[in-house]
Amino acid sequence: MILQDRLSLSFDALVEQYISEPAGMDHTIHPAVADDTKPSLLLSAGGYQTTANDMARFFLGMNDGSIIDATDWQRLIMDSRYLFDNYSLGAVVETRNDVLTNGHSGGGARANIRYAPEHQVGAMVCTADKDNRGFAMVLARMLIDEMVTGVPPKIPLLVALTDFDAMTGEQVIAAYEEAASIPNRYDLTDTESLLNVIGYTFLERE
């Protein structure tokens, strides 16, 4: 709404002018713009639909500067005026293994987009399953890790605990301890947040 007020253009017109058109993203659109039967109270990035080809064009547009120079983008999202915890200008900012990435997930964690401006690589993972237990989030990070380092990533801890819904708390702890005891097999980076999610899931189920 701020952009629309300051620039006197609708949000979809701004997205087209500054992002999709310069990048050649011909199949990226908000349903509310294309179809009057799907009105949107507030047009937002969260409602946009795209394709794998268009996302590749988006990453290339970031790399060649046709959207924005990757260095300028990194400087912008890391500006202390906009950075709050790990959010900046609508993007989630993460640093893993000394690699800064920004992006966002969507569709109930069915998709995750990550872009590493210093390395000019990006990854988008999409699933059709909103109950994919966060694998879209994990896979996008793994792809970035491998593209930057050239080293195949470790298996996400989520794989070892994927059936936690059918486990008791004690079984989850035992599965975690077994996974943690195998050297260099599982990625234990996000252990605390994953166990926290499982714990809250168990609390909700009483």
Side-chain angles (χ1 to χ4, degrees):
M1 289 188 292
I2 293 170
L3 289 171
Q4 290 177 179
D5 182 57
R6 297 290 177 87
L7 301 177
S8 300
L9 287 171
S10 65
F11 189 75
D12 61 296
L14 291 168
V15 169
E16 182 177 356
Q17 180 177 337
Y18 289 101
I19 299 175
S20 56
E21 189 174 295
M25 300 167 68
D26 299 328
H27 298 92
T28 298
I29 196 163
H30 197 292
V33 176
D35 187 348
D36 290 338
T37 66
K38 298 179 180 178
S40 175
L41 180 63
L42 177 64
L43 203 64
S44 68
Y48 272 84
Q49 296 176 352
T50 190
T51 64
N53 283 338
D54 268 15
M55 280 309 302
R57 292 185 179 101
F58 173 79
F59 292 137
L60 293 172
M62 292 288 286
N63 289 350
D64 66 20
S66 58
I67 298 176
I68 185 173
D69 180 79
T71 304
D72 290 341
W73 175 240
Q74 180 176 336
R75 186 163 48 245
L76 187 64
I77 64 167
M78 297 307 291
D79 190 313
S80 60
R81 292 174 295 175
Y82 313 124
L83 189 62
F84 181 77
D85 289 338
N86 62 330
Y87 286 92
S88 178
L89 299 175
V92 177
V93 179
E94 291 182 341
T95 300
R96 283 169 44 85
N97 303 321
D98 297 323
V99 177
L100 171 74
T101 66
N102 61 278
H104 214 291
S105 61
R110 278 178 282 197
N112 192 23
I113 299 169
R114 306 302 315 157
Y115 180 74
E118 289 179 357
H119 302 273
Q120 293 193 320
V121 295
M124 177 184 74
V125 173
C126 291
T127 76
D129 180 10
K130 67 179 179 181
D131 192 28
N132 70 79
R133 301 187 181 280
F135 274 112
M137 314 285 285
V138 172
L139 287 175
R141 293 171 181 150
M142 289 173 65
L143 287 168
I144 290 288
D145 288 348
E146 184 165 6
M147 284 189 283
V148 169
T149 66
V151 178
K154 297 177 183 176
I155 299 170
L157 179 60
L158 183 58
V159 171
L161 304 178
T162 190
D163 293 325
F164 70 80
D165 270 346
M167 297 178 179
T168 64
E170 291 83 356
Q171 288 170 328
V172 168
I173 292 169
Y176 160 69
E177 289 177 343
E178 181 181 349
S181 70
I182 305 171
N184 300 317
R185 182 173 185 188
Y186 291 98
D187 181 357
L188 304 178
T189 308
D190 298 321
T191 297
E192 183 177 351
S193 60
L194 175 58
L195 293 178
N196 194 47
V197 167
I198 293 173
Y200 273 108
T201 303
F202 283 175
L203 284 172
E204 289 172 7
R205 286 171 22 197
E206 299 182 351

